[in-house]
Amino acid sequence: MRRRIDPFFKGLDTFCERAGTVVSLLSLALMVLIVVSVFMRYVLNVSFIWGYPLSRQIFALFILFAALYALVTDSHLRVEILYARLSGRIKFLADIIDLSAFLLFIGVWVWQSGLLAQNSVANLELSQGTPKVPLYYIKSIIPVMAFLLFLQGISFFYRHRAKKRGDEVPGLAEPGADTMEKPAS
């Protein structure tokens, strides 16, 4: 079974890391869009009405991929004051509770965003306001990204448990593993 799981999680991790890296360029596109919008409005006194709705959609896509990338690279901020003092069995129980809460939350997110996306596509939903920007594109991406986050959460737990057992950790290397040396203690 492990021979099937390891390549799947490694492929998922690789895909999520590469997609996150590519989508990080959206921050540059967002910055250019906002600068052009502000320049057009305040310098040229020309309305750039589709700039704001488009920037909101780019930002939403960027945030979805950023969450996925942060999970695959283990770069979420944590405060482990209590966790570090727990015994091995209690840490395992805490990890199981953490994974269960995560999967429950993301599972509900996949389910509800899937219903919203289905409704949005069926009605070809457009934004309210002057520029009628299609919303069904971004609403269709949300459940897909939530499902990828769901799978990535399982992969993260799998890698985390394998690392604690001392097994070879499938997937990606630790963030900054080649660039930073651990201080001597």
Side-chain angles (χ1 to χ4, degrees):
M1 174 106 167
R2 195 161 172 204
R3 281 182 268 162
R4 291 181 184 163
I5 292 174
D6 285 352
F8 173 75
F9 284 146
K10 185 172 174 73
L12 178 68
D13 292 347
T14 302
F15 169 77
C16 292
E17 184 193 29
R18 288 183 182 161
T21 302
V22 169
V23 172
S24 69
L25 297 175
L26 284 178
S27 63
L28 295 174
L30 184 61
M31 182 186 68
V32 167
L33 178 65
I34 291 172
V35 167
V36 166
S37 181
V38 168
F39 178 79
M40 297 277 292
R41 176 177 223 152
Y42 292 107
V43 175
L44 301 178
N45 205 21
V46 176
S47 181
F48 202 53
I49 59 174
W50 55 269
Y52 179 68
L54 185 61
S55 67
R56 285 182 56 184
Q57 289 192 2
I58 291 173
F59 187 65
L61 192 60
F62 176 75
I63 291 299
L64 289 170
F65 274 98
L68 195 61
Y69 184 80
L71 192 56
V72 76
T73 58
D74 193 15
S75 53
H76 283 283
L77 182 62
R78 286 189 205 89
V79 179
E80 296 181 346
I81 296 170
L82 296 177
Y83 183 82
R85 295 180 182 176
L86 299 175
S87 68
R89 288 184 158 216
I90 302 296
K91 281 184 181 179
F92 179 73
L93 181 61
D95 288 345
I96 293 294
I97 292 170
D98 184 36
L99 177 67
S100 299
F102 176 81
L103 293 180
L104 179 66
F105 173 76
I106 299 297
V108 169
W109 187 20
V110 169
W111 167 47
Q112 288 297 310
S113 64
L115 293 175
L116 288 173
Q118 183 180 17
N119 186 35
S120 182
V121 169
N123 296 319
L124 296 176
E125 184 179 7
L126 301 173
S127 65
Q128 296 182 5
T130 306
K132 299 290 184 192
V133 178
L135 294 177
Y136 50 90
Y137 293 119
I138 195 74
K139 286 191 176 184
S140 297
I141 293 171
I142 292 171
V144 173
M145 294 304 298
F147 183 70
L148 280 174
L149 199 58
F150 183 87
L151 292 176
Q152 192 57 53
I154 296 170
S155 173
F156 176 80
F157 179 76
Y158 180 73
R159 283 182 287 139
H160 183 68
R161 292 310 308 163
K163 182 178 167 185
K164 286 194 176 203
R165 282 192 311 266
D167 296 347
E168 183 179 322
V169 180
L172 301 172
E174 290 291 314
D178 347 35
T179 57
M180 297 179 63
E181 292 184 28
K182 294 191 178 200
S185 42

